[in-house]
Amino acid sequence: MTRMGRRGLTERQKTELWERWKQGQSLSDIGQAIGKHAGSVFGVLRTDGGIFRAPRCRATRSLTVLEREEISRSIATGCSVREIARRIDRAPSTISREMNRNRGRHGYRATEADDAAWDRTRRPKVCRLAQQKRLQRIVAKKLSLEWSPEQISGWLKRTFPGNESLHVSHETIYRSLFIQTRGVLRKELMKHLRSKRLMRHGKQFTTKGKPRGRIIDAVSIRERPAVIEDRAIPGHWEGDLIAGSGNTHIATLVERQSRFTMLVKLDGKDSQTVVSALIKQVKRLPAELRKTLTWDRGSEMAQHKQITVATDVQLYFCDPQSPWQRGTNENTNRLLRQYFPKQTDLSVHSQAALDKAARRLNQRPRKTLGYQTPADKLQESVASIG
């Protein structure tokens, strides 16, 4: 059976998305506000490089479709131009131009005339870069030399003071780079920008107060008690995310002693979403299995303190770029790819489906356990504690 794609954003959601983006909110914050995945928010913003383009709209004095219908009916009854103008309270010249543009009195059709008028509004002003090939070549060359758009704009005015056709604002250069649909400057030139951004942020955007890759108050794995290393006691877990296409993720939790695995459905990768989902899952465990959790330093754990407060589980964090410090979890994630291949959409799996996959894995014998299953091993460990 063909699976239908995820429902897109409504016009209301798109409007709110752009408003929040202009206010400087993050992708995750916007996603939470409109009830969509951060990846969906990114997809909308990335199309225009994070630059809002006002939707097309009719001029306030343009003829409406109802007025055009009246013109059509009046023509059919033989009314003069002045009579038609009086009926719809318009100037006779307006009626005359409307007829002449749309096949004259005998060929005028209201619907066709209205469609033609709407098509004529599809004319976003062609920027100077698109009109002036010489200017376009100069700007592209200077960008490739790592000049900033502002430096290029200022240099052009100084170098060609009497030639306005070779003047261009830095904003036009940025827009031509970020809005690739303009077809003016090649996307490859973006790599020469200092910021290396894929999108422009709103003026109010700030990273102040955000972790920016750091986990605040993280307790290093080097401080983890030695008793955890020998796997003698159950209740110590390792966790991570496995990624799929479209910025979709699943959280994985693996108990170190038994290799028992739990999978957690995620609606986003932002810290609040991940932490809330983990708290809900960990709370299902008996108290004797809630001791510690070791994770890497991904930004999804920025709010890790909430886990400890809610579940009394102590978190430890690996050293940067050291996945072998969570070897049990890394090996398990490789096994899980049998059920969740790379480059597939992980959002389609319900929590029930994830539980089923985890159950199948937990009921498979493991060589490292002497071919005992993780489920049996965990049950045996819990029984010995009791």
Side-chain angles (χ1 to χ4, degrees):
M1 187 176 82
T2 302
R3 181 178 63 82
M4 299 298 289
R6 284 182 288 177
R7 184 173 62 84
L9 276 66
T10 64
E11 288 304 315
R12 184 193 62 77
Q13 288 175 319
K14 287 181 181 179
T15 299
E16 184 176 355
L17 181 156
W18 281 108
E19 284 299 321
R20 290 180 177 276
W21 179 249
K22 287 188 289 185
Q23 292 169 15
Q25 295 187 17
S26 68
L27 297 176
S28 296
D29 289 341
I30 296 171
Q32 285 185 334
I34 66 175
K36 286 290 182 178
H37 192 283
S40 298
V41 176
F42 176 80
V44 173
L45 294 170
R46 182 69 183 91
T47 302
D48 290 325
I51 299 171
F52 175 70
R53 290 195 289 174
R56 288 188 308 128
C57 60
R58 297 176 187 269
T60 55
R61 291 295 296 161
S62 294
L63 289 169
T64 67
V65 67
L66 293 178
E67 288 176 319
R68 289 190 167 99
E69 289 286 358
E70 182 60 34
I71 292 173
S72 182
R73 286 191 295 267
S74 298
I75 289 174
T77 58
C79 292
S80 67
V81 169
R82 289 188 177 279
E83 176 61 22
I84 298 172
R86 187 188 62 77
R87 287 187 177 188
I88 64 173
D89 193 24
R90 292 280 188 170
S93 59
T94 299
I95 308 304
S96 180
R97 282 196 301 269
E98 174 70 9
M99 289 182 183
N100 293 335
R101 283 174 178 166
N102 297 285
R103 303 196 299 175
R105 173 181 283 272
H106 299 295
Y108 188 85
R109 299 292 183 273
T111 302
E112 292 178 5
D114 195 67
D115 289 343
W118 184 239
D119 286 339
R120 285 193 293 270
T121 67
R122 295 180 184 175
R123 47 179 177 78
K125 185 178 180 182
V126 179
C127 68
R128 184 169 292 174
L129 273 175
Q131 296 173 317
Q132 301 289 339
K133 295 300 180 183
R134 182 187 174 192
L135 176 61
Q136 192 178 127
R137 288 194 296 271
I138 293 173
V139 170
K141 181 179 179 181
K142 297 305 181 183
L143 283 170
S144 67
L145 295 175
E146 279 77 45
W147 287 30
S148 74
E150 191 170 16
Q151 289 170 337
I152 296 170
S153 178
W155 178 83
L156 285 168
K157 290 177 182 177
R158 183 181 178 87
T159 306
F160 306 102
N163 190 350
E164 288 196 6
S165 66
L166 292 180
H167 295 178
V168 64
S169 71
H170 67 280
E171 183 64 26
T172 296
I173 298 175
Y174 274 120
R175 285 177 174 268
S176 298
L177 281 170
F178 287 106
I179 305 177
Q180 280 295 300
T181 51
R182 281 189 170 187
V184 179
L185 296 173
R186 292 179 290 110
K187 184 179 180 180
E188 290 74 19
L189 291 170
M190 292 174 65
K191 68 182 180 183
H192 296 290
L193 294 177
R194 235 183 344 260
S195 67
K196 301 294 187 291
R197 290 193 192 117
L198 295 175
M199 299 187 299
R200 294 204 77 186
H201 291 291
K203 292 182 179 179
Q204 299 180 52
F205 180 83
T206 177
T207 56
K208 185 177 181 181
K210 298 178 182 179
R212 299 189 68 183
R214 295 186 301 109
I215 304 298
I216 299 173
D217 294 331
V219 180
S220 172
I221 191 174
R222 300 178 186 279
E223 298 180 39
R224 196 170 67 176
V227 68
I228 300 175
E229 302 301 324
D230 60 14
R231 305 177 189 268
I233 303 172
H236 301 286
W237 300 77
E238 294 178 6
D240 195 15
L241 303 182
I242 58 174
S245 64
N247 198 28
T248 55
H249 298 81
I250 294 172
T252 62
L253 295 170
V254 186
E255 203 278 317
R256 282 176 53 80
Q257 185 194 54
S258 64
R259 278 68 171 183
F260 186 87
T261 301
M262 296 191 300
L263 303 178
V264 185
K265 180 176 176 60
L266 299 175
D267 294 323
K269 194 191 174 186
D270 60 283
S271 186
Q272 186 59 55
T273 298
V274 174
V275 166
S276 297
L278 290 176
I279 289 173
K280 184 177 179 181
Q281 186 73 19
V282 170
K283 280 186 172 182
R284 295 175 180 173
L285 294 169
E288 58 268 25
L289 292 180
R290 289 193 238 160
K291 293 185 173 69
T292 69
L293 172 60
T294 302
W295 205 277
D296 65 17
R297 292 180 181 261
S299 61
E300 67 274 7
M301 279 293 121
Q303 300 181 33
H304 64 93
K305 291 182 179 179
Q306 293 184 19
I307 298 178
T308 301
V309 171
T311 66
D312 205 30
V313 169
Q314 174 62 53
L315 266 78
Y316 295 96
F317 291 90
C318 300
D319 296 328
Q321 300 178 344
S322 302
W324 62 85
Q325 294 179 336
R326 291 179 299 98
T328 300
N329 191 238
E330 287 289 307
N331 290 335
T332 302
N333 286 351
R334 280 193 284 272
L335 294 176
L336 285 168
R337 285 301 184 185
Q338 181 177 354
Y339 304 104
F340 310 105
K342 293 182 179 180
Q343 302 305 317
T344 59
D345 186 353
L346 301 181
S347 69
V348 303
H349 302 289
S350 64
Q351 185 60 56
L354 299 184
D355 292 341
K356 182 179 179 180
R359 186 161 54 250
R360 288 176 69 91
L361 187 63
N362 290 329
Q363 291 175 349
R364 287 166 52 177
R366 303 283 288 274
K367 182 178 179 179
T368 190
L369 298 176
Y371 295 102
Q372 189 177 14
T373 69
D376 289 341
K377 177 66 176 177
L378 184 67
Q379 187 175 15
E380 178 185 283
S381 299
V382 173
S384 66
I385 294 176

